[in-house]
């Protein structure tokens, strides 16, 4: 999948503990979704930027492998842990589903509804500037002959449908995950509005099991029926939504789960660290039938539990690492890093800019330029939008916890 991806002891001041103390014995479908408890502290949700940092490091490492002078070759890549670049994207998906659902439900609990206009406007201001700046640079590079992209490539990229493009180019192929995210942003708020919490949760849980079935069907069709069938369909939205749905289900079930003693003990247990090698083992199994049908739901549950544990126990050893300022800053940069890593981390090219270590240095230079010249200036507009929306504190304070899975936003 490397080519296809071209391509995160309890804290004393645990905000969710407050929700646990007041929630009573609520139903998982009750109106209170826990967002109020989480937002009542008025602070950013811990660890999410750190998890994004881990995810983008996985993506960059995976795409560095095989580049000229990098010590790990393509043959060696994935030998122990599988396609970690793709895994990094999947972690981004779970984070996005969790955070976006939490923000939407927080708005619903505070204002009594969900404003699609405000949601889509905030997403556009957050995502579009850096994304279309990248596309503009790629268009200039194509016009100058430095990059070989077609009009079809740009049509798919401009419309956020790269995940449906067969034979996509490496320079923009990594945008498949951002396309999946954008399709999620379009569909999930509508689902919440149309179905309400109970039925939306049913949809999310069903998607966790339907997604692996879709991937298995595509995989079997390619290898047993028609080898010419494009394997890019494995990154289509129906085949990827289960990872986003895992985060959505966690956010919707969280208020009820936080009233369960077994859940609090599980997410505070040191033994939960065993979920990490389990995820890597499932990832190592790749497209094996067992990994697709059984491993995918288990991986989704493990990732959701790890996200829960890291956000609620930020003073644990892992939590302190994820909230260490350099790691947090890397997570803040993760969206721009993801946008710009693919043109420089090209293992098929012998060009100077694609050789290690200058390729990695160029990725960071491009990402920093994107952050300071494009992303950060638009944060002022986002702040004005948030102040004018009268949204809950968890929304107003999430400056560095944007989703883009791609990662990262």
């Amino acid at each position: 999948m490397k080519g296809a991806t071209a391509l995160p002891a309890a804290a004393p001041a645990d905000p969710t503990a407050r929700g646990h103390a007041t929630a009573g014995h609520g139903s998982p479908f009750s109106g209170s979704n826990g967002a109020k408890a989480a937002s009542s502290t008025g602070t950013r949700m811990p660890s999410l930027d750190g998890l994004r940092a881990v995810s983008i490091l996985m993506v960059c490492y995976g795409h560095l492998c095989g580049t000229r002078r990098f010590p790990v070759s393509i043959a060696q890549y994935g030998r122990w842990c599988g396609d970690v670049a793709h895994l990094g994207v999947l972690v981004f998906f779970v984070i996005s589903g969790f955070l976006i659902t939490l923000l939407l439900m927080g708005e619903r609990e505070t204002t009594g509804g969900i404003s699609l206009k405000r949601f889509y406007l905030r997403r556009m201001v957050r995502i579009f500037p850096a994304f279309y700046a990248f596309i503009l640079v790629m268009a200039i590079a194509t016009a100058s002959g430095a990059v070989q992209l077609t009009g079809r490539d740009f049509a798919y990229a401009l419309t956020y449908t790269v995940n449906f493009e067969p034979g996509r180019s490496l320079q923009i192929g990594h945008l498949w995950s951002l396309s999946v995210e954008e399709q999620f942003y379009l569909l999930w708020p509508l689902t919440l509005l149309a179905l309400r919490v109970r039925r939306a949760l049913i949809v999310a849980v069903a998607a966790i099991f339907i997604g692996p079935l879709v991937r298995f069907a595509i995989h079997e069709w390619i290898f047993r029926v028609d080898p010419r069938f494009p394997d890019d369909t494995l990154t289509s939205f129906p085949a990827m939504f289960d990872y986003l749905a895992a985060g959505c289900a966690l956010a919707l079930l969280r208020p009820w789960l936080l009233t369960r003693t077994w859940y609090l003990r599980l997410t505070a247990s040191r033994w939960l660290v065993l979920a990490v090698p389990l995820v890597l083992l499932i990832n190592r199994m790749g497209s094996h039938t067992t990994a697709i049908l059984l491993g995918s739901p288990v991986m989704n549950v493990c990732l959701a539990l790890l996200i829960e544990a890291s956000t609620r126990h930020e003073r644990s050893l892992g939590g302190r690492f994820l909230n260490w300022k350099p790691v947090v800053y890397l997570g803040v940069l993760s969206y721009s890093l993801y946008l710009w890593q693919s043109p420089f981390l090209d293992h098929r090219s012998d060009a100077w800019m694609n050789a290690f270590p200058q390729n990695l240095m160029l990725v960071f230079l491009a990402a920093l330029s994107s952050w300071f010249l494009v992303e950060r200036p638009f944060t002022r507009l986002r702040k004005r939008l948030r102040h004018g929306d009268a949204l809950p504190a968890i929304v107003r304070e999430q400056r560095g916890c944007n989703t883009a899975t791609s990662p990262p936003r």
Side-chain angles (χ1 to χ4, degrees):
M1 198 67 186
K2 184 175 189 293
T5 59
L7 346 13
D14 185 352
T16 55
R18 206 169 305 167
H20 169 58
T22 60
H25 300 283
S27 158
F29 307 112
S30 65
S32 176
N33 57 41
K36 180 183 289 185
S39 64
S40 63
T41 61
T43 58
R44 287 168 49 179
M45 182 166 285
S47 304
L48 287 187
D49 281 323
L51 289 169
R52 290 192 184 93
V54 173
S55 300
I56 194 61
L57 287 175
M58 293 167 66
V59 171
C60 289
Y61 166 76
H63 296 163
L64 271 169
C65 291
T67 58
R68 189 158 59 94
R69 293 202 298 266
F70 191 70
V72 181
S73 67
I74 290 292
Q76 296 170 317
Y77 172 73
R79 180 176 298 174
W80 298 105
C81 300
D83 186 355
V84 294
H86 187 66
L87 177 60
V89 172
L90 301 185
V91 176
F92 277 126
F93 283 161
V94 181
I95 293 172
S96 289
F98 172 66
L99 181 59
I100 290 299
T101 304
L102 197 64
L103 297 179
L104 287 170
M105 297 307 295
E107 177 182 358
R108 178 175 176 268
E109 188 164 323
T110 302
T111 68
I114 296 173
S115 171
L116 292 178
K117 178 181 177 181
R118 287 196 298 258
F119 174 79
Y120 292 135
L121 183 58
R122 290 192 300 269
R123 288 292 88 198
M124 289 171 59
V125 172
R126 172 66 188 100
I127 298 166
F128 283 8
F131 180 86
Y132 285 113
F134 172 78
I135 297 298
L136 176 61
V137 172
M138 289 296 102
I140 295 172
T142 299
S144 66
V147 173
Q148 302 299 319
L149 293 173
T150 66
R152 189 188 72 166
D153 291 328
F154 285 107
Y156 278 104
L158 291 169
T159 56
Y160 280 97
T161 53
V162 174
N163 58 323
F164 290 102
E165 180 186 10
R168 47 186 175 255
S169 169
L170 183 141
Q171 283 79 13
I172 65 164
H174 64 301
L175 301 183
W176 73 266
S177 63
L178 298 180
S179 299
V180 171
E181 287 250 5
E182 202 64 28
Q183 291 152 25
F184 166 71
Y185 296 150
L186 178 65
L187 296 174
W188 182 241
L190 293 172
T191 303
L192 280 175
L193 277 176
L195 302 182
R196 301 296 180 179
V197 177
R198 180 190 295 268
R199 289 179 180 146
L201 176 58
I202 293 173
V203 169
V205 173
I208 293 173
F209 296 96
I210 293 173
L213 292 174
V214 173
R215 287 195 297 277
F216 176 73
I218 294 173
H219 183 270
E220 289 298 293
W221 184 270
I222 292 173
F223 286 94
R224 298 184 185 276
V225 180
D226 185 4
R228 297 169 298 178
F229 192 75
D231 60 359
D232 303 281
T233 52
L234 287 167
T235 59
S236 62
F237 185 80
M240 287 284 112
F241 180 53
D242 55 310
Y243 300 103
L244 290 149
C248 298
L250 171 62
L252 293 174
L253 280 170
R254 197 169 187 248
W256 175 76
L257 288 172
L258 292 175
T259 68
R260 308 294 99 178
T261 302
W262 62 266
Y263 181 74
L264 297 176
R265 289 177 177 173
L266 174 62
T267 53
S269 172
R270 295 179 179 178
W271 292 103
L272 187 59
V273 71
L274 295 178
V276 175
L278 179 57
V279 166
L280 294 175
L281 176 61
I282 295 171
N283 192 60
R284 172 67 179 80
M285 295 172 67
S287 58
H288 190 278
T289 300
T290 302
I292 296 176
L293 294 179
L294 299 179
S296 294
V298 172
M299 178 188 289
N300 278 320
V301 171
C302 287
L303 293 176
L305 289 173
L306 289 169
I307 290 171
E308 173 71 69
S310 65
T311 56
R312 287 182 48 240
H313 304 108
E314 68 269 26
R315 295 187 185 177
S316 66
L317 180 61
R320 287 198 299 270
F321 170 76
L322 293 175
N323 292 282
W324 185 36
K325 286 185 178 181
V327 176
V328 170
Y329 189 69
L330 187 63
V332 171
L333 286 179
S334 58
Y335 180 35
S336 285
L337 284 169
Y338 187 82
L339 280 171
W340 287 97
Q341 48 84 29
S342 198
F344 297 105
L345 306 184
D346 185 355
H347 66 274
R348 301 174 304 180
S349 173
D350 292 326
W352 178 86
M353 73 173 192
N354 297 122
F356 182 78
Q358 58 264 28
N359 55 357
L360 190 57
M361 295 171 63
L362 289 169
V363 169
F364 274 89
L365 180 61
L368 286 169
S369 299
S370 175
W371 168 250
F372 284 107
L373 298 178
V374 182
E375 287 193 74
R376 197 168 72 164
F378 276 89
T379 60
R380 299 186 184 93
L381 177 57
R382 293 173 64 213
K383 289 177 184 176
R384 289 199 294 270
L385 290 173
R386 285 168 178 165
H387 291 319
D389 287 346
L391 294 181
I394 191 172
V395 179
R396 294 195 304 269
E397 299 295 333
Q398 290 286 340
R399 287 200 299 267
C401 298
N402 314 301
T403 65
T405 102
S406 40
R409 297 248 151 86

